């Protein structure tokens, strides 16, 4: 029985040697596979670099002479194009190396995409409409749903194709803004419109700040029903909850926050141009610039090869807490700016 088993494996070995041609294929594979893995690693590292801020004309000194709304729409388009055309392209839906093995850059892309979706929705619902009963712009109504398409669809249709269609409709809307023969295309730079969009930004940043702070994990008092004696919720909850971001998700939350802040810096600089008169009337321009400065702090170069998660006052740094500090300060400044804009 043992001899039969040995003979069986010997025949398999002999057949394999005949098929491989005395080891030639193995030798080729021994060279090609390491070179392929090295190329995948190099491209993976290169694709992980955060792209530069888009250089656009709407931030020039003479931009105030342009049509109102052009700066914000241009910022939205530029951010979308960088998202799709940066090194490696759009990685979130990749099914081949190195994109399929990357998670930090897809998290960054998701943060950018969320802000792109929020601003395109605000553009359709508020910025382009004079009042709640007015008709929405047709091109913006076609653009906004396309940005809400799934970010991990590889084909039929691919995520990139849907997002490019959304950018195409935004470009048509921008062209119509400057056309005096098409007065239906409008952008209303009003304080209430700006407050509407900032409310969404404030909510997003507040959530990110909590998730970043939860990297160390600690008990938190349940304040869900605070300040309202008659408030109720669907199911009972403990008076004290343990909040902690899972260890494998810490770097994803960090890079999602980094992508969110990157997009917001671009958008807020454009808002400063289009809403210059509104901000000047409220004496709020410096408040907006302070928000931009706080968010720019999140884009500083990282000299660590990974996101460190030391305890709050421990020996190692905690990058999530540093990011949470910038995000929280920007969030508080946005709340102050919204209050300022609401004043007469």
């Amino acid at each position: 029985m043992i001899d039969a088993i040995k003979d069986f494996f010997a025949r398999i070995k002999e057949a394999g040697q005949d098929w491989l041609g005395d080891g030639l294929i193995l030798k080729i594979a021994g060279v090609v596979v390491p070179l392929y893995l090295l190329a995948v690693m190099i491209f993976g590292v290169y694709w992980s670099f955060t792209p530069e801020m888009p250089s656009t004309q709407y931030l020039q000194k003479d931009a105030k002479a342009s049509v109102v709304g052009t700066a914000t729409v241009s910022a939205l388009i530029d951010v979308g194009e960088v998202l799709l055309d940066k090194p490696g392209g759009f990685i979130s839906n990749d099914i081949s190396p190195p994109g399929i093995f990357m998670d930090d850059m897809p998290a960054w892309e998701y943060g950018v995409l969320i802000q792109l979706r929020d601003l395109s929705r605000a553009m359709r619902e508020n910025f382009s409409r004079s009042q709640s009963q007015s008709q929405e712009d047709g091109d913006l109504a076609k653009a906004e749903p396309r940005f809400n398409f799934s970010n991990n669809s590889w084909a039929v249709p691919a995520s990139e194709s849907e997002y490019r269609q959304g950018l195409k409709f935004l470009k048509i809307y921008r062209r119509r803004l400057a056309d005096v023969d098409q007065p239906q295309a409008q952008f209303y730079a009003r304080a209430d419109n700006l407050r509407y969009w900032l409310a969404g930004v404030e909510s997003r940043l507040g959530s990110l700040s909590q998730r970043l702070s939860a990297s160390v994990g600690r008990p938190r008092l349940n304040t869900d029903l605070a300040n309202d004696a008659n408030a109720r919720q669907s199911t009972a909850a403990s008076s004290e909850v343990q909040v902690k971001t899972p260890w494998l998700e810490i770097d994803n939350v960090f890079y999602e926050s980094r992508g969110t802040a990157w997009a917001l810096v671009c958008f807020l600089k454009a808002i400063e141009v289009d809403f210059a008169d509104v901000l000047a009337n409220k004496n709020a321009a410096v408040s907006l610039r302070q928000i931009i400065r706080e968010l720019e702090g999140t884009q500083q170069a990282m000299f660590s090869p990974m996101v460190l998660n030391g305890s709050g006052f421990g020996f190692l740094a905690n990058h999530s807490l540093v990011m949470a500090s910038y995000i929280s300060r920007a969030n508080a400044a946005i709340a102050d700016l919204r209050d300022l804009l609401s004043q007469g």
Side-chain angles (χ1 to χ4, degrees), residues 7 88 104 135 138 166 210 268 303:
D7 183 58
D104 291 346
Q135 185 175 355
Q210 287 293 324
L268 289 171
F303 297 100

Side-chain angles (χ1 to χ4, degrees), residues 162-174:
E162 289 294 301
Y163 300 156
R164 290 192 190 280
Q165 283 292 316
L167 294 177
K168 184 187 76 171
F169 288 116
L170 286 179
K171 291 177 181 178
I172 296 174
Y173 169 70
R174 180 177 60 179

Side-chain angles (χ1 to χ4, degrees), residues 205 208-215 254 257 298 318-331:
L205 293 184
L208 287 173
S209 176
Q210 287 293 324
R211 292 165 64 197
L212 288 165
S213 300
S215 62
F254 178 87
S257 304
T298 66
N318 188 304
H319 293 140
S320 296
L321 293 183
V322 175
M323 179 69 74
S325 175
Y326 285 111
I327 295 292
S328 296
R329 291 202 299 268
N331 192 34

Side-chain angles (χ1 to χ4, degrees), residues 14-79:
E14 183 179 354
Q17 289 176 341
D18 293 340
W19 181 73
L20 292 173
D22 199 23
L24 178 61
I25 295 180
L26 283 178
K27 293 177 182 178
I28 295 176
V31 175
V32 173
V33 171
L35 289 177
Y36 172 74
L37 294 177
L38 178 62
V40 167
M41 183 178 67
I42 292 174
F43 277 108
V45 172
Y46 177 57
W47 291 359
S48 295
F49 292 142
T50 301
E52 297 291 333
M53 296 280 180
S55 55
T56 49
Q57 296 299 318
Y58 57 78
L59 298 180
Q60 302 301 321
K61 292 183 179 180
D62 60 346
K64 292 183 180 180
S66 63
V67 177
V68 172
T70 302
T72 303
V73 180
S74 297
L76 193 58
I77 293 171
D78 291 338
V79 166

Side-chain angles (χ1 to χ4, degrees), residues 95-157:
I95 60 172
S96 61
I100 195 174
F101 300 124
M102 300 171 64
D103 62 345
D104 291 346
M105 181 51 69
W108 183 91
E109 292 176 344
Y110 185 72
V112 174
L113 182 61
I114 288 296
Q115 290 306 312
L116 193 150
R117 289 171 175 173
D118 287 351
L119 183 54
S120 65
R121 184 179 66 251
M123 201 84 83
R124 177 180 66 84
E125 293 181 349
N126 283 78
F127 290 153
S128 63
R129 303 173 65 189
S130 60
Q131 54 187 348
S132 61
Q133 298 299 318
S134 58
Q135 185 175 355
E136 64 184 14
D137 187 88
D139 289 316
L140 294 179
K142 296 175 183 176
E144 193 242 343
R146 283 169 169 79
F147 294 127
N148 285 279
F149 186 75
S150 171
N151 67 326
N152 58 5
S153 176
W154 176 65
V156 195

